[in-house]
Amino acid sequence: RRVHGDYYMGCTGAKDEPKKKEEKKSEEKEDATAEKGVTYSPQELGIDKEETEYKKKERPPEPMEDNAELEQMQGEHAAVDKTKGVIIPPTNPPPIDLKAPKVSFVPHYVYGYRGYDCRQNLFFSDEGKLIYHIAAVGIILDPESNTQQFFGGKVYNPKAVDQHIDDILCLGVSIDGKLAVSGEIGPKPSLFIWKTANGELVKKHTLTIKNPRGIKCCAFSAAGDYVAFVDKSDKFNIHVLSLSDGKIAWTEPTGGQEVYGIAWSKNKDEHLFATCGDKHITFWDVDTKKPHKGTGHGAQTFLSISFDDKAVSYTHLTLPTKAQVQISVVAVSLKKKK
C-alpha cells in the first residue's frame, strides 16, 4: 500500500519470518551435527550465549546417586532422599505390638455448654453447684473452686451401661436438687438418673419402641416418684417412668407437632405436668391418664414452660415481633374443675 509516497507492508507478522527461518536453520544444523558425532559451540550453532547460561541456571541439579557422599557433605542426620522422608529409625526398636495399650484417661476439665438446640438444661444442685451437659458428659461444676465432677466421660464403649454413648439432648434436676436425669440421642436412646453430688449412677432406662431417634426433653415430678420425657419420633410420644419399679407407667403420643419443653407442677399432692412446643401446649394428668389441650393461646409457639407450687404454669412464647411470658391457669382447673 502506498500512502503519500511511503510504502507499508500489508500483512501482519512479516517481521517475524526471518527470525523463524534462522531458528529452523539452527535446529537443522544441530540435528545434522549430532548424527555425525560432531560438536559445535553455541556461537557456531547460532544460539544466544546469554540464553544458554539462563537455561543452565534454571535447570534443576542432577540427583546424587551416592548417598554416602551426600551424608558426608550434609551431616550424619541429613535427608538423603526426599521421597524416603527425613525420619531416622531407632537403633534398637521394641517389638511391634498391635494390642490396645493398658492405659486409660480421666477427664480433668470439660469446656463448653450445649445450648443451640437444647432448652431448660442448666440447674443448681442442693449444694449450689451448676448442673449442665456437653457432648455425652453430664457436668457438675463448683463455681467457687472452678472444679468439675462428671457423669460419664470415660473411654467410649458402645456397650457401656453406666454412661451415655451418644450426645445428651436434655437434662432435668429434682426439686430437692439431689438427682439429675439426662436423655441422649440415638436409635435406642437411654435415660439416666444420677446423683448431683458426685455423678454416681442411680438408674437407667432404655427405650425399646420403634425408631424413637432420641429423648427430646425430660423432667422430675414434684414428689420425685416419676420422670416424664418425650422422644424424637414422628409422634413425639410422652413417657412417664415410675421410679419405684423402673417401669413405664404411661405412654401417649403428643401428635405430630414438635415438643420443646416439659415441666411438672410443684404441688407434691398432684401429678400434673405440661408439654409445649410448635403451636401447642398440652396439660397431662398421670392419675386420670388424660391430656387437656391448652385454650385461649391461638396458634402460638411455646419455647419453654415452668410451674409454681400452686399449679400455675409460666410459658415463654414467640410472637411475630417479640417474645413475652404468658401465665396459664389451665392446670389449676384440671383439679378444681373451675
Side-chain angles (χ1 to χ4, degrees):
R1 181 181 179 187
R2 182 175 180 180
V3 180
H4 299 292
D6 296 329
Y7 290 89
Y8 295 89
M9 297 185 68
C11 60
T12 59
K15 295 182 180 180
D16 295 336
E17 290 297 329
K19 187 175 181 180
K20 290 182 179 179
K21 290 180 180 180
E22 291 179 4
E23 291 179 356
K24 187 174 182 181
K25 289 180 180 180
S26 177
E27 292 176 359
E28 291 176 354
K29 186 175 182 180
E30 186 177 356
D31 295 339
T33 55
E35 292 178 359
K36 297 179 181 181
V38 181
T39 58
Y40 294 90
S41 65
Q43 290 76 11
E44 292 176 331
L45 294 174
I47 301 174
D48 189 0
K49 184 178 179 181
E50 294 182 359
E51 183 179 354
T52 305
E53 294 296 330
Y54 175 76
K55 290 182 178 179
K56 284 183 180 181
K57 292 180 181 179
E58 291 296 318
R59 183 185 301 170
E62 296 291 335
M64 299 184 67
E65 297 182 358
D66 191 354
N67 292 339
E69 181 181 354
L70 182 61
E71 289 182 1
Q72 184 177 1
M73 292 172 59
Q74 297 184 348
E76 185 179 357
H77 300 289
V80 176
D81 189 350
K82 291 183 178 180
T83 61
K84 294 182 180 180
V86 295
I87 299 176
I88 299 175
T91 54
N92 297 312
I96 298 176
D97 186 3
L98 300 179
K99 297 180 181 179
K102 296 180 180 180
V103 295
S104 182
F105 67 88
V106 177
H108 175 67
Y109 202 97
V110 178
Y111 294 88
Y113 159 77
R114 183 159 184 160
Y116 71 95
D117 62 347
C118 302
R119 296 176 176 85
Q120 297 177 261
N121 60 340
L122 177 62
F123 301 88
F124 281 105
S125 71
D126 60 329
E127 299 176 352
K129 298 179 180 179
L130 289 171
I131 311 298
Y132 59 99
H133 63 89
I134 182 68
V137 184
I139 301 175
I140 307 166
L141 172 64
D142 187 343
E144 295 184 359
S145 62
N146 195 25
T147 57
Q148 293 178 339
Q149 292 175 286
F150 310 99
F151 171 71
K154 302 176 185 177
V155 177
Y156 173 75
N157 181 5
K159 298 181 180 180
V161 297
D162 60 345
Q163 67 174 5
H164 288 282
I165 61 174
D166 214 326
D167 286 358
I168 300 174
L169 290 182
C170 58
L171 181 72
V173 171
S174 59
I175 288 184
D176 60 8
K178 296 181 181 297
L179 294 177
V181 58
S182 52
E184 65 188 11
I185 194 172
K188 293 182 179 180
S190 294
L191 188 83
F192 289 88
I193 299 174
W194 39 281
K195 295 180 180 179
T196 59
N198 52 19
E200 180 183 344
L201 176 65
V202 175
K203 193 180 293 291
K204 174 187 177 183
H205 177 78
T206 301
L207 275 178
T208 57
I209 65 172
K210 184 179 179 181
N211 197 23
R213 299 176 185 167
I215 299 175
K216 180 77 174 177
C217 47
C218 57
F220 279 100
S221 64
D225 51 353
Y226 290 106
V227 169
F229 60 97
V230 180
D231 62 40
K232 285 177 62 66
S233 65
D234 293 337
K235 296 182 179 180
F236 293 99
N237 300 295
I238 183 79
H239 308 270
V240 179
L241 176 67
S242 174
L243 299 185
S244 59
D245 56 9
K247 297 180 180 180
I248 296 294
W250 183 26
T251 298
E252 185 81 15
T254 63
Q257 295 170 313
E258 188 170 0
V259 177
Y260 295 143
I262 186 171
W264 288 80
S265 168
K266 291 183 172 59
N267 189 338
K268 296 183 179 181
D269 297 330
E270 300 175 334
H271 289 128
L272 301 175
F273 68 93
T275 57
C276 66
D278 186 21
K279 298 180 182 179
H280 79 280
I281 180 171
T282 306
F283 297 88
W284 309 81
D285 190 336
V286 178
D287 297 331
T288 62
K289 293 183 172 57
K290 291 182 179 180
H292 301 267
K293 291 288 185 180
T295 59
H297 304 292
Q300 301 291 349
T301 294
F302 297 87
L303 301 179
S304 60
I305 188 169
S306 181
F307 277 87
D308 61 18
D309 56 359
K310 296 180 181 180
V312 177
S313 65
Y314 300 83
T315 56
H316 174 222
L317 58 88
T318 60
L319 295 175
T321 57
K322 61 181 180 179
Q324 70 177 26
V325 175
Q326 181 166 327
I327 300 176
S328 172
V329 293
V330 179
V332 178
S333 64
L334 296 180
K335 280 295 181 179
K336 296 182 179 181
K337 299 182 180 179
K338 291 184 179 180

